[in-house]
């Protein structure tokens, strides 16, 4: 079966830039959508399976840095920031809020395409357009994860505290259910980029998360270990 081409969302308030870039991507075998502001981008991300966002920093209203931070907190969609500013501090700030790459305008479209492919290879290493639910909350087993509040609630309405690492790891699993994720992929998806973390950190976080969501952490049913492969989240996940 042939996999679908990755779906790229271009977010830029300059119509000529976003439309010409979307056309270039389509001509080069990618699927592309374009929107003019953060509000439209949030809607597009919620209603579609987006594989990567190309995001202009300087936009009226909510700027690209704020939207990038939101995407990083609620999804694991990779982001490439576009900016007319070439200062090193701007690039560093962009990467600190969770961007996967930073490209200065004006840019060569072919170089940007190469960067897109490199980011997708590095951050996904998964089939493009994994069928994963998105929404304000995700439900699984007897639990509900509220994304805006970063709150895990059981079937009796009791909230259970999650650390930042536990939240990111659980969200990674919920957005990619029934897919084996290696420790390397989990490090990339669930931990801060550039953080000094290792494979053992993944095992530690998985153990902590199991103690919170499993009926018996010693015999886990939700997060299963795949020997030589990593971990897989086995339960169905739905919007809530």
């Amino acid at each position: 079966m042939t996999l679908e081409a990755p779906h790229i969302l271009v977010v830029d308030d300059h119509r000529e830039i976003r439309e010409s870039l979307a056309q270039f991507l389509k001509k080069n075998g990618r699927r592309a959508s374009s929107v003019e502001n953060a509000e439209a981008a949030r809607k597009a991300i919620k209603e579609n399976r987006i594989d990567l966002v190309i995001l202009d920093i300087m936009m009226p209203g909510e700027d690209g840095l704020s939207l990038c931070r939101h995407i990083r907190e609620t999804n694991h969609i990779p982001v490439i920031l576009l900016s007319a500013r070439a200062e090193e501090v701007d690039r560093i700030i962009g990467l600190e809020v969770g961007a996967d790459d930073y490209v200065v305008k004006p840019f060569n479209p072919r170089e940007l395409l190469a960067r897109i492919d490199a980011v997708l290879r590095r951050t996904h290493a998964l089939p493009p357009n994994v069928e994963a639910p998105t929404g304000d909350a995700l439900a699984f087993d007897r639990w509900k994860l509220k994304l805006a509040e970063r709150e895990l609630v059981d079937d009796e309405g009791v909230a259970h505290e999650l650390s930042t690492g536990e939240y990111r790891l659980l969200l990674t699993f919920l957005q990619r259910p029934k897919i084996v994720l290696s420790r390397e992929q989990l490090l990339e998806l669930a931990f801060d980029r550039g953080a000094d973390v290792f494979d053992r950190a993944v095992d530690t976080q998985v153990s902590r998360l199991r103690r919170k969501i499993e009926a018996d952490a010693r015999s886990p049913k939700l997060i299963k270990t795949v020997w030589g492969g990593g971990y897989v989240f086995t339960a169905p996940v739905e919007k809530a």
Side-chain angles (χ1 to χ4, degrees):
M1 181 177 66
T2 302
L3 294 174
E4 285 188 288
H7 189 176
I8 314 300
L9 178 65
V10 182
V11 187
D12 198 307
D13 60 309
H14 292 283
R15 180 178 178 181
E16 182 178 347
I17 292 176
R18 69 174 182 269
E19 291 187 353
S20 62
L21 181 52
Q23 282 297 115
F24 174 81
L25 292 170
K26 290 175 183 177
K27 287 180 181 178
N28 283 273
R30 281 67 173 175
R31 293 181 298 142
S33 301
S34 61
V35 295
E36 63 181 359
N37 56 41
E39 181 181 1
R42 287 173 183 252
K43 185 172 185 291
I45 290 170
K46 192 171 184 178
E47 295 179 352
N48 301 275
R49 295 196 305 273
I50 302 296
D51 294 293
L52 183 142
V53 177
I54 299 173
L55 177 57
D56 183 35
I57 290 181
M58 301 298 293
M59 297 187 296
E62 182 181 5
D63 65 20
L65 293 177
S66 173
L67 179 57
C68 180
R69 187 179 295 108
H70 167 77
I71 292 172
R72 185 57 57 234
E73 290 176 348
T74 57
N75 294 276
H76 289 296
I77 302 171
V79 176
I80 296 179
L81 290 176
L82 298 180
S83 177
R85 297 163 61 96
E87 284 82 353
E88 182 74 7
V89 66
D90 294 314
R91 185 184 69 83
I92 293 173
I93 291 172
L95 296 176
E96 284 179 344
V97 299
D100 296 85
D101 204 348
Y102 185 101
V103 176
V104 177
K105 297 177 180 178
F107 54 84
N108 183 315
R110 293 212 164 271
E111 179 186 351
L112 179 57
L113 183 61
R115 288 175 178 262
I116 290 170
D117 290 344
V119 167
L120 287 174
R121 284 194 302 269
R122 186 177 75 245
T123 61
H124 279 199
L126 297 168
N129 290 299
V130 171
E131 188 72 55
T134 59
D136 297 327
L138 301 177
F140 64 97
D141 194 52
R142 67 184 190 92
W143 300 96
K144 180 187 296 183
L145 182 66
K146 295 182 178 181
L147 302 184
E149 298 89 345
R150 292 191 168 203
E151 189 173 72
L152 181 65
V153 180
D154 64 25
D155 53 2
E156 295 181 351
V158 178
H160 298 254
E161 185 177 353
L162 291 175
S163 69
T164 298
E166 291 165 350
Y167 170 81
R168 290 179 177 176
L169 183 61
L170 179 56
L171 184 60
T172 298
F173 282 129
L174 297 186
Q175 292 182 322
R176 292 172 172 82
K178 301 184 180 180
I179 290 189
V180 176
L181 297 170
S182 69
R183 289 175 176 83
E184 182 180 6
Q185 290 167 348
L186 288 170
L187 281 172
E188 179 66 38
L189 292 165
F191 291 80
D192 284 327
R193 287 162 177 77
D196 187 18
V197 292
F198 305 93
D199 287 1
R200 185 55 56 187
V202 173
D203 297 332
T204 300
Q205 290 286 10
V206 167
S207 295
R208 291 174 179 170
L209 188 56
R210 279 173 169 165
R211 288 197 291 269
K212 293 189 174 181
I213 68 173
E214 298 278 5
D216 182 358
R218 292 169 298 181
S219 181
K221 304 296 184 185
L222 300 177
I223 303 174
K224 285 188 170 291
T225 301
V226 180
W227 298 112
Y231 297 97
V232 60
F233 191 83
T234 62
V237 181
E238 300 177 346
K239 293 181 183 180

